[in-house]
């Protein structure tokens, strides 16, 4: 039976990529016992055993922040290579291997103020601080929108744009995002056309496959918007 150390169980952030950990270990020709030995001797994590390493790789447990950093060191990779796609402030910071002090200093916030934002997953910085956050965490515009809590509002605007007149939403979407209005307009027009040109449901048969396709389109509207922006190449601020 694998005994998971207390440090291994708190909320894994970012989500640990167990498959990547096993693949990287195998590529180095190491066994779980070699990884455990390296983490004990080089990083002072005396509780790490081969069984615990196996548990991580099987998805039965997830390393804590300190363990993740040490595991990356033993596997000669960055912490970001051992995690899934980060979404929260904390996940992006850990994926970059940064301490909270580093991020707080870079964005011009008192340490306690930043820690509270991260713990609540609620960014309250201004435009200049948001730009600094994007730089220090190497955030794409899509990531910045997500971690600053603007994604639900963006989704609401995009649904309105594709179901009514897209032209009326260029200004509000442009105010929400640091993008050129022309780029916003082109992306909204493309989305509107794609949504309006989809097959419509058969009359008298609501809830059919075409209705489901429309709901799926609206549910994934934010991802579709960023895809349209990338295709257009107009995502610059």
């Amino acid at each position: 039976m694998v005994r998971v150390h207390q440090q291994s169980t708190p909320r894994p952030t970012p989500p640990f990529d167990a498959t990547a950990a096993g693949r990287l270990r195998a590529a180095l020709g190491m066994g779980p016992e070699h990884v455990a030995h390296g983490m004990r001797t080089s990083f002072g994590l005396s509780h790490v055993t081969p069984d615990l390493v196996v548990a991580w790789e099987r998805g039965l447990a997830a390393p804590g922040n300190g363990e993740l950093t040490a595991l990356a060191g033993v596997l000669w990779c960055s912490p970001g290579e051992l995690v899934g796609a980060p979404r929260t402030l904390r996940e992006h910071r850990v994926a970059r291997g940064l301490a909270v002090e580093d991020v707080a200093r870079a964005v011009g916030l008192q340490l306690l103020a930043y820690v509270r934002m991260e713990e609540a997953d609620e960014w309250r910085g201004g435009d200049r601080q948001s730009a600094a956050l994007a730089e220090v965490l190497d955030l794409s515009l899509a990531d910045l929108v997500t971690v600053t809590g603007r994604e639900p509002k963006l989704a609401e605007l995009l649904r309105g744009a594709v179901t009514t007149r897209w032209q009326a939403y260029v200004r509000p979407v442009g105010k929400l995002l640091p993008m050129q209005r022309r780029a916003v307009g082109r992306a909204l027009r493309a989305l509107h056309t794609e949504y309006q040109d989809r097959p419509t449901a058969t009359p008298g048969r609501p809830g059919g496959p075409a209705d489901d396709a429309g709901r799926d389109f609206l549910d994934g509207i934010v991802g579709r918007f960023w895809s349209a922006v990338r295709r257009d190449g107009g995502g610059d601020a």
Side-chain angles (χ1 to χ4, degrees):
M1 180 177 178
V2 178
R3 297 190 62 184
V4 179
H5 189 269
Q6 182 179 1
Q7 189 177 358
S8 302
T9 54
R11 48 184 229 207
T13 85
F16 180 64
D17 191 334
T19 301
R23 185 179 66 250
L24 288 166
R25 175 183 59 75
L28 292 171
M30 300 172 67
E33 66 279 7
H34 302 126
V35 174
H37 177 75
M39 293 181 69
R40 290 196 303 268
T41 58
S42 299
F43 294 90
L45 299 180
S46 58
H47 65 278
V48 177
T49 64
D51 284 344
L52 181 55
V53 174
V54 170
W56 290 340
E57 293 182 1
R58 291 180 177 174
L60 302 176
N65 290 344
E67 292 167 331
L68 182 67
T69 301
L71 181 61
V74 171
L75 296 179
W76 291 87
C77 67
S78 69
E81 293 177 75
L82 294 174
V83 298
R87 288 185 58 84
T88 67
L89 272 175
R90 188 166 185 259
E91 289 177 359
H92 279 285
R93 176 180 61 76
V94 174
R96 297 295 169 192
L98 297 172
V100 288
E101 295 85 356
D102 298 331
V103 179
R105 187 182 311 111
V107 300
L109 286 171
Q110 294 293 324
L111 177 59
L112 182 58
Y114 174 77
V115 169
R116 286 173 175 168
M117 291 183 197
E118 189 175 279
E119 289 178 346
D121 194 22
E122 183 180 351
W123 175 251
R124 296 187 296 275
D127 290 344
R128 183 172 296 182
Q129 290 168 324
S130 295
L133 182 74
E135 183 175 354
V136 70
L137 296 182
D138 194 22
L139 300 176
S140 68
L141 181 52
D143 289 334
L144 181 62
V145 168
T146 299
V147 301
T148 55
R150 288 177 280 178
E151 189 170 295
K153 180 62 176 178
L154 176 61
E156 177 187 344
L157 293 173
L158 295 176
R159 292 187 188 106
V162 300
T163 56
T164 58
R165 294 182 64 255
W166 64 266
Q167 295 89 339
Y169 288 84
V170 174
R171 182 183 177 92
V173 172
K175 289 181 66 176
L176 189 69
L177 306 176
M179 284 177 58
Q180 295 177 350
R181 297 288 172 85
R182 286 177 296 178
V184 171
R186 289 192 296 268
L188 294 186
R189 181 176 58 194
L191 282 182
H192 184 272
T193 299
E194 186 178 354
Y195 180 77
Q196 295 296 328
D197 286 351
R198 81 195 193 288
T200 56
T202 303
R205 295 183 58 193
D211 284 341
D212 292 341
R215 282 191 289 271
D216 288 344
F217 189 101
L218 295 177
D219 288 344
I221 193 69
V222 174
R224 292 177 182 273
F225 173 75
W226 294 123
S227 294
V229 170
R230 287 192 293 270
R231 287 196 302 269
D232 180 66
D236 296 335

